[in-house]
Amino acid sequence: MSNRIGPLFPLRLRHLPAARLLSGAVLAATLPLAMAACAGPRGADEMSSSAPNSDDQGAAVKPIAVGEPHPMPAPRTCNADAAKAALVGKTADTATVERARTQAGGHTVRVLKPGQMITKEYMDGRVNVHVDENNVIVDVGCG
């Protein structure tokens, strides 16, 4: 009967200690990861930060208490109507595109050509200058 069982179980007894050693090593390697995942989030006072604790003017930033909502940053504004009236119909050269950005009050500008693939995310301070096939400005928008 032992001859018939032998082919069904290719693992020999001399390999068993190595298998146990390997499974023990895997367990020892993954246990700290599992324990770290179970630990709760650290508080802000426990985390180290390399950023200075002040804003652009050099004044100290008030820490936010736990559970208090974070203040929203001031939104960037873009007024495309201010640039649209003066620039529609003009050729979109570097100076004209920069003038569209400054007149609209945007922080960035992009020129959008017909059929060009664009990203659809909305950025309030971005000025979109739409041009036709001849590089003439047909519309100015924000986003």
Side-chain angles (χ1 to χ4, degrees):
M1 186 171 212
S2 64
N3 290 340
R4 301 178 89 198
I5 295 176
L8 296 177
F9 299 108
L11 180 64
R12 296 192 175 109
L13 290 178
R14 63 187 167 119
H15 296 298
L16 189 57
R20 285 186 180 167
L21 183 63
L22 180 61
S23 65
V26 170
L27 179 64
T30 57
L31 189 61
L33 293 173
M35 296 302 290
C38 292
R42 295 188 304 171
D45 56 337
E46 296 175 4
M47 293 186 197
S48 63
S49 175
S50 60
N53 202 11
S54 64
D55 59 7
D56 292 45
Q57 288 78 24
V61 176
K62 178 185 147 208
I64 298 174
V66 176
E68 182 180 326
H70 293 281
M72 294 296 294
R76 296 184 185 257
T77 58
C78 176
N79 182 9
D81 295 331
K84 187 185 298 189
L87 299 176
V88 170
K90 303 216 188 270
T91 303
D93 58 2
T94 307
T96 308
V97 171
E98 180 61 21
R99 191 169 18 162
R101 184 191 67 79
T102 56
Q103 286 181 356
H107 60 85
T108 58
V109 64
R110 65 180 177 176
V111 177
L112 303 174
K113 299 177 181 174
Q116 177 182 348
M117 294 182 65
I118 61 171
T119 58
K120 292 291 186 178
E121 81 277 3
Y122 181 81
M123 295 176 62
D124 187 44
R126 179 172 58 194
V127 179
N128 295 318
V129 178
H130 299 268
V131 297
D132 64 5
E133 297 83 17
N134 300 321
N135 206 30
V136 175
I137 298 174
V138 294
D139 192 22
V140 178
C142 295

